[in-house]
């Protein structure tokens, strides 16, 4: 999805006050020489080229949105910052003791590529413990 189109879509979608929202961004790059470079042990080979391109890119979209250095960290397909929450939506860093409906709870970036949260492809990833822990926490939340 293009950033300008995502911004337009997000402008039409409201964050509902009674719904719990969670974002789990992924990161499979590391800072090097002013760029973000793919971490080979974390990233599927097919994502490395797009990751390397995102890891050095800055610019301005056709709609005027500025992509600065914060947009370089990525999971091979998606910029880590764009996987956090819609731009103008209420959000905060995830705190398991203070989960609030109507606010995006941004979990720490998962150390993996775009397929890590699905278990991986060629780079297999045991994601089951992550989801079991997340579901245990969600199960304790009061209805929003």
């Amino acid at each position: 999805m293009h950033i300008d189109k995502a911004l337009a879509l997000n402008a039409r979608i409201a964050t509902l006050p009674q719904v719990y929202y969670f974002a789990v961004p992924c990161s499979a790059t590391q800072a090097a020489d002013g760029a973000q470079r793919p971490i080979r042990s974390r990233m599927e080979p097919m994502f490395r080229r797009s990751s390397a391109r995102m890891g050095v890119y800055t610019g301005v979209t056709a709609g005027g949105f500025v992509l600065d250095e914060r947009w370089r960290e990525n999971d091979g397909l998606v910029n880590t910052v764009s996987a956090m929450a819609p731009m103008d939506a209420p959000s905060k860093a995830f705190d398991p003791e203070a989960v609030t409906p109507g606010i995006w709870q941004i979990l720490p970036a998962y150390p993996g590529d775009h397929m890590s949260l699905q278990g991986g492809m060629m780079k297999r990833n045991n994601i089951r413990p992550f989801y079991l822990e997340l579901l245990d926490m969600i199960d304790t939340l009061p209805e929003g």
Side-chain angles (χ1 to χ4, degrees):
M1 179 176 276
H2 294 278
I3 292 169
D4 291 331
K5 291 182 182 192
L7 291 169
L9 176 64
N10 288 341
R12 296 191 313 264
I13 298 173
T15 302
L16 303 174
Q18 71 278 16
V19 175
Y20 290 99
Y21 295 90
F22 298 91
V24 185
C26 291
S27 178
T29 60
Q30 62 187 0
D33 302 321
Q36 286 283 327
R37 305 281 184 217
I39 300 171
R40 295 179 68 84
S41 62
R42 282 191 197 166
M43 191 174 292
E44 298 280 354
M46 72 176 118
F47 299 151
R48 291 181 191 150
R49 183 175 291 184
S50 60
S51 175
R53 286 196 303 251
M54 281 188 279
V56 297
Y57 184 79
T58 58
V60 180
T61 67
F65 186 82
V66 176
L67 297 156
D68 59 18
E69 289 78 13
R70 293 175 299 150
W71 287 75
R72 290 181 174 172
E73 183 180 3
N74 67 81
D75 68 6
L77 290 180
V78 174
N79 312 84
T80 301
V81 70
S82 70
M84 293 183 181
M87 288 292 192
D88 293 325
S91 65
K92 66 176 186 160
F94 174 70
D95 175 355
E97 303 300 319
V99 177
T100 310
I103 298 174
W104 282 85
Q105 322 294 311
I106 303 170
L107 279 80
Y110 188 86
D113 69 20
H114 195 73
M115 293 304 298
S116 292
L117 295 177
Q118 294 81 23
M121 294 171 66
M122 292 171 30
K123 292 191 175 292
R124 301 302 299 159
N125 182 37
N126 181 9
I127 196 66
R128 186 180 175 101
F130 170 83
Y131 282 116
L132 289 174
E133 184 177 326
L134 186 60
L135 288 171
D136 283 344
M137 183 273 305
I138 290 171
D139 193 43
T140 67
L141 296 175
E143 290 191 30

